[in-house]
Amino acid sequence: MGAFDPRVTPARSDLAAHELEGKVAAPRYVAGRTYEVIDPQAPVRGEPRPDAEMTTEALRGERVTVYDMNAEGWAWGQLVADRYVGWLAANALAAAGAPPTHKVSALRTLAFPGPSIKLPPLTGLPLGARLKVVRIADPMAVTDAGAYLPLTHLMPVDRFEIDFVAVAERFLGAPYLWGGKTVLGVDCSGLVQIALTACGLACPRDSDMQEAALGSAVEVGGAVTNWQRGDLIFWKGHVAIVRDGATLIHANAFHMAVTIEPIAEAIARIGGAVTSVRRIT
């Protein structure tokens, strides 16, 4: 049997997804059940512990195929959108309901218990969170749970942004967070993923996956000025987005934030060779 990337393969030493039978060895194979995320964002962890490393985040309305739930309140499964595997708190999930109709298009929005913005908000929701809107009470949208959100902060799920670099630029100053995917904290590949997803472009989670899957190769040895807005620059373990012939934007641990830097200065500071430049077409 061939090797599989454990980040996107729902297989453990004690069980595996039923569709992997005959492909990976496991003592039992399990048919998953579809859940949806009901928290604003839910950490996905490498182990079923609150202090375990967060490998990514699942956003409100995202679907998760769950293969196991343990007695300590953890669910092990695979995110449907990017196929990432890990542990989520079971109380962040509920059985999947009706498909969402709208998604959050603002960096962050607030949900209110009624039609007045003077009411104490119920919660905040990040860019990309998905909701089922049952009616419009302009200027608010009302969800199936009875929450009121500013209509201007939402768009239908079948509408998309047109410039993923502009989406990334809206995160300028957001804190760096390993595994993060929201304005409250985001990492380099999370920034790329959330920006491309907002434009309707499928994107893997981690930078090495993105380097292997996205776009077409651009000559690395050529002049930096030949790189275009939207090109992705990859190092081992890092990715940045070209804004223009002189600057890039990226979430990085040096500044602990999403920053805009001169391309030449960033390359010199990061060290190590640029492994590739990919053009999103």
Side-chain angles (χ1 to χ4, degrees):
M1 298 183 182
F4 293 86
D5 188 335
R7 295 172 295 180
V8 291
T9 306
R12 307 187 323 218
S13 61
D14 59 332
L15 65 85
H18 73 96
E19 64 266 23
L20 294 176
E21 189 168 0
K23 299 177 182 179
V24 301
R28 62 189 179 104
Y29 299 91
V30 179
R33 180 181 176 189
T34 304
Y35 286 76
E36 65 178 291
V37 177
I38 57 174
D39 282 0
Q41 64 264 356
V44 179
R45 302 191 184 277
E47 298 180 39
R49 306 190 325 267
D51 61 344
E53 177 185 315
M54 183 173 75
T55 54
T56 188
E57 287 182 302
L59 306 184
R60 171 72 176 267
E62 192 165 350
R63 266 40 180 181
V64 184
T65 304
V66 173
Y67 296 99
D68 183 33
M69 285 196 181
N70 69 19
E72 287 74 43
W74 290 92
W76 182 77
Q78 183 173 42
L79 307 186
V80 171
D82 63 13
R83 303 190 61 77
Y84 221 86
V85 174
W87 291 93
L88 300 91
N91 60 11
L93 305 174
T101 61
H102 288 70
K103 58 190 174 184
V104 176
S105 54
L107 272 183
R108 193 162 181 84
T109 192
L110 298 173
F112 298 91
S116 172
I117 60 172
K118 295 181 180 180
L119 295 170
L122 298 169
T123 190
L125 295 173
L127 175 71
R130 295 182 168 228
L131 305 154
K132 180 173 175 55
V133 171
V134 294
R135 65 185 177 92
I136 304 298
D138 197 20
M140 308 292 274
V142 186
T143 72
D144 57 346
Y148 288 70
L149 292 95
L151 185 58
T152 189
H153 287 176
L154 305 177
M155 67 168 55
V157 292
D158 59 356
R159 282 184 51 197
F160 302 100
E161 303 282 355
I162 58 173
D163 182 352
F164 84 90
V165 183
V167 176
E169 289 170 336
R170 289 160 59 189
F171 282 79
L172 185 63
Y176 180 87
L177 175 65
W178 182 270
K181 287 178 56 175
T182 81
V183 72
L184 298 181
V186 65
D187 65 13
C188 66
S189 55
L191 181 65
V192 171
Q193 187 186 52
I194 200 70
L196 286 173
T197 300
C199 294
L201 301 172
C203 180
R205 178 57 178 90
D206 292 342
S207 61
D208 62 322
M209 299 173 175
Q210 294 170 355
E211 186 173 18
L214 297 177
S216 56
V218 177
E219 184 181 0
V220 174
V224 169
T225 52
N226 291 334
W227 296 350
Q228 298 178 4
R229 180 177 174 87
D231 287 351
L232 302 179
I233 308 173
F234 290 94
W235 294 259
K236 182 176 176 56
H238 188 61
V239 60
I241 305 168
V242 175
R243 296 180 64 248
D244 51 41
T247 63
L248 56 75
I249 183 168
H250 59 158
N252 66 93
F254 179 80
H255 296 98
M256 287 303 295
V258 176
T259 55
I260 292 172
E261 291 189 78
I263 293 174
E265 289 183 17
I267 290 175
R269 178 180 57 74
I270 291 170
V274 170
T275 55
S276 72
V277 177
R278 309 290 298 180
R279 179 159 296 161
I280 306 298
T281 54

